Amino acid sequence: MHETASLPEHVKGRTLFGHPIGLFVLFLTEMWERFSYYGMRGLLKLYMVNYLFVSGRQLLQGGSERVAGEPGAVIGWSWIQSMLPLDVQGQASVIYGWYTGLVYLTPLLGGLIADRYWGQRKTVVFGGILMAFGHFVMAFENWFFLALLLLILGNGAFKPNISTQVGNLYDEEDPRRDGAFTIFYMGINLGAFICNLVCGTLAAVYGWHYGFAAAGIGMVVGLVIYLWGQRYLAPDLKMATSAAAVGSSTREVASSKLTSEEWRRIGALFVLCTLNIVFWAVYEQQGNTMQTWADENTVWPTVFNFAIPSTWFQSFNPLFIFLFAPLLDMFWLSQARRGKEPSSVAKMAIGCAILGLSFIIMAVAARVVGDGKGSLLWPVVCTLLMTVGELYLSPVGLSLVTKVAPARMVSMMMGMWFLSSFFGNILSGYIGALYGLMQKDVFFGLLTVLGLAAGGAILLMSRPIARATGHAR
C-alpha cells in the first residue's frame, strides 16, 4: 500500500460539504479546462467537413450561406490529405481520431515530467498556458495543425496532474476518496455541458472562430482559478518526496527499485488499460459519427425563432451525468449495504456492455430514418445509455489508478490510464471512417458487438486483476 503526502493543517482543517476546499479548487479548474476542450471538440469535425477542408465553406455553423474557401492554404494539409481516405467525412474522422487520441498519449510524458522534474503544480500551469495559446491560434485558419499541436501538448501536461492532485488530498483508505472523484468528475461534465451551449451558439450566430475564442477564454479562467487556489492544495508528490529525503540516509533515498508487489500492480493496470481501448474506440463515436448523425439526420427544434444548433447534442452526455451520477452512487451504496456491490473492475465490465447495447437504438434508428431526418429522441436515448456505461467505467477507473499505483510514479500511471484512451481514440477515427462506406444500421451493429466483446473480456480478467492489485472492491 502507498501513503499520500502528509497534509498541512490549513489544508486538512478547511472543508466544504465535508471535503477539503482544495477539491473544489480542482473542480473549478477542471470544469473550465473541460469547457475549453469540449467546446472546441464539439465544433471540430463539423468545422473540418463544412468549412476548413471544402471549397464552398459554411459561413455560420449550420447555416446555408456559403463563401469561397481554399483548403490548400492550410499549412501541411496537402501532405496529410495524401495519407487519408478520399472523402472529406473520412478524412475529418481520421484527423478527429488522431487529435483526440494524441490528447491522451501526451499525458504519459506529462506525468513523467511531473513525477521526476517539475512536480504536478508547475506542470499543470505550463499545460494550461499552452492550451490557451492553442485555442486562440485556431482563429488563424492556415495554422490549424499548429493549434492542434499546442492543444495536444498542453493537455498532456495538464490532464494527468490535475487528476492526481485530487487523490493527494486524501489518505488511501479515506472513505471520502471515491466520492471526491465523483464530485471531480461532475466538474468535468459541468464544463462539458455549458461549453456547447456557449461555443456552439456563438459559432452558429457569429461564426466558427467566435466559438473557438470562447473556448480559449474558458481555459484562461481555469488557469487563474488554479493559481489563486494553490494554498488549498496538498503538496505534490515530488515536493513530499524531496522533503522526506532531507531526513533519510543516502542508502534509503537511493533505494528506489520497485517491489514485486508494485510490479504486480503496474502489470494489472496495464492489462486493464489494454482492455479499455475498445471501450474508448466505441465511446468516442459520440463526438464523431454521432455528431454527424445529429447534424445530418436529426430534426432540431426552433425555439422563439432560434434554430437550436446541432452542436448542442454534445451537451446531453454531461447533462445525463449530472442526473444519473448521484442516483448511481446511491444504488452502489445500497448494493454495498447488502454485500452485493460489484468490484471496481466488474463495474468497468458492466460499463462496456451497457455502452455496446446503447447502439442498438441507433441501429434501429438507421432502419427507420434511412437517409432522411428523424426524431431527436433516437440519439438522445442512445446517449443516455452511453452515459450510464461511462459512469460505470471512467470515474471508477480514475479512482482505482490513484489507489493501486506506486506513490512515486502515480502521475505516470495516470498517464498510462490515459494511454488506453489514446489507442481507443485513434481506433475510433478509423472506425468512424467506415460510417460513410457501410450501411448505417450495420455500422451501429458493429459498435454494439465491439462494446459487448470488451465487457466480456474485462469480466473474464476481473478476478486475476483484483488478486494482483489487492483491491477486491
Side-chain angles (χ1 to χ4, degrees):
M1 301 288 179
H2 70 257
E3 296 181 359
T4 55
S6 178
L7 297 179
E9 286 302 319
H10 73 278
V11 175
K12 287 195 293 186
R14 301 288 298 276
T15 62
L16 183 65
F17 302 118
H19 286 274
I21 289 178
L23 173 64
F24 299 95
V25 172
L26 297 172
F27 171 99
L28 290 171
T29 302
E30 180 73 352
M31 182 195 82
W32 282 108
E33 188 273 332
R34 293 291 90 182
F35 173 98
S36 73
Y37 173 77
Y38 284 108
M40 180 269 190
R41 194 196 76 162
L43 295 171
L44 181 58
K45 187 180 180 188
L46 299 180
Y47 177 64
M48 290 187 285
V49 169
N50 296 324
Y51 185 88
L52 193 62
F53 297 142
V54 292
S55 56
R57 291 177 168 175
Q58 191 181 75
L59 187 60
L60 304 176
Q61 192 280 311
S64 58
E65 186 177 354
R66 300 274 168 172
V67 295
E70 190 179 352
V74 179
I75 296 172
W77 173 235
S78 298
W79 174 67
I80 291 173
Q81 186 182 30
S82 66
M83 298 184 292
L84 298 178
L86 296 177
D87 66 302
V88 174
Q89 197 284 138
Q91 292 166 350
S93 178
V94 173
I95 292 173
Y96 175 91
W98 274 97
Y99 166 70
T100 57
L102 289 169
V103 155
Y104 289 102
L105 174 64
T106 49
L108 192 62
L109 177 61
L112 179 64
I113 290 172
D115 284 336
R116 296 195 177 180
Y117 303 107
W118 291 355
Q120 283 84 26
R121 295 189 187 188
K122 289 181 182 178
T123 312
V124 163
V125 172
F126 177 72
I129 291 171
L130 280 183
M131 282 191 287
F133 273 111
H135 286 299
F136 293 127
V137 170
M138 287 288 287
F140 303 95
E141 295 158 8
N142 294 355
W143 294 101
F144 173 73
F145 290 109
L146 174 62
L148 294 187
L149 178 61
L150 291 171
L151 290 167
I152 289 164
L153 294 175
N155 190 85
F158 188 99
K159 195 170 184 65
N161 297 302
I162 199 78
S163 301
T164 298
Q165 288 179 79
V166 176
N168 290 355
L169 291 169
Y170 302 87
D171 293 327
E172 184 179 319
E173 301 303 328
D174 192 322
R176 301 174 298 171
R177 192 183 183 98
D178 281 359
F181 273 94
T182 299
I183 292 171
F184 180 71
Y185 201 68
M186 291 180 74
I188 292 173
N189 288 281
L190 178 59
F193 173 73
I194 297 171
C195 70
N196 297 294
L197 307 182
V198 175
C199 300
T201 302
L202 288 173
V205 175
Y206 297 105
W208 298 94
H209 297 308
Y210 286 89
F212 293 130
I217 292 170
M219 186 64 250
V220 171
V221 172
L223 194 54
V224 169
I225 291 171
Y226 182 76
L227 290 170
W228 170 83
Q230 296 229 344
R231 62 187 180 276
Y232 297 112
L233 304 179
D236 27 91
L237 294 175
K238 184 176 183 297
M239 294 162 61
T241 302
S242 299
V246 172
S248 302
S249 70
T250 304
R251 198 170 114 207
E252 289 172 327
V253 174
S255 177
S256 58
K257 286 186 178 180
L258 292 170
T259 66
S260 58
E261 179 192 355
E262 288 175 327
W263 274 116
R264 284 196 300 271
R265 289 168 173 248
I266 291 170
L269 286 177
F270 177 80
V271 171
L272 193 56
C273 289
T274 301
L275 295 175
N276 283 340
I277 289 172
V278 178
F279 175 89
W280 295 116
V282 176
Y283 175 82
E284 279 299 328
Q285 297 304 318
Q286 179 187 182
N288 189 346
T289 53
M290 288 291 288
Q291 179 60 57
T292 300
W293 176 278
D295 191 58
E296 297 178 354
N297 297 99
T298 300
V299 178
W300 285 85
T302 298
V303 180
F304 300 116
N305 293 322
F306 173 68
I308 294 177
S310 67
T311 49
W312 282 28
F313 169 68
Q314 297 295 316
S315 288
F316 283 109
N317 171 251
L319 173 63
F320 290 144
I321 284 175
F322 278 109
L323 293 176
F324 289 103
L327 297 176
L328 201 54
D329 193 42
M330 289 189 287
F331 176 64
W332 289 339
L333 287 173
S334 172
Q335 287 184 313
R337 284 193 292 268
R338 291 179 283 116
K340 294 184 177 180
E341 183 185 10
S343 69
S344 296
V345 179
K347 285 178 183 176
M348 296 167 74
I350 293 169
C352 285
I354 294 173
L355 174 72
L357 292 172
S358 71
F359 282 99
I360 293 177
I361 303 293
M362 293 309 299
V364 174
R367 286 290 187 95
V368 173
V369 175
D371 293 327
K373 292 194 173 187
S375 171
L376 179 60
L377 286 176
W378 291 113
V380 167
V381 173
C382 175
T383 301
L384 188 155
L385 293 175
M386 287 175 65
T387 301
V388 175
E390 177 189 2
L391 286 169
Y392 262 93
L393 185 136
S394 192
V396 172
L398 287 173
S399 179
L400 185 65
V401 169
T402 64
K403 287 188 286 189
V404 169
R408 61 186 179 276
M409 55 190 305
V410 66
S411 284
M412 193 162 65
M413 288 297 97
M414 189 66 75
M416 189 175 76
W417 167 260
F418 293 128
L419 192 63
S420 67
S421 294
F422 160 68
F423 288 110
N425 278 269
I426 297 295
L427 184 57
S428 80
Y430 287 99
I431 291 173
L434 300 174
Y435 182 75
L437 303 176
M438 301 172 65
Q439 291 184 347
K440 290 184 175 61
D441 58 335
V442 176
F443 175 80
F444 291 123
L446 171 64
L447 299 183
T448 297
V449 171
L450 290 173
L452 291 173
I458 292 176
L459 189 61
L460 286 173
M461 293 298 298
S462 60
R463 287 188 180 179
I465 290 172
R467 285 197 299 269
T469 62
H471 285 267
R473 302 261 34 103

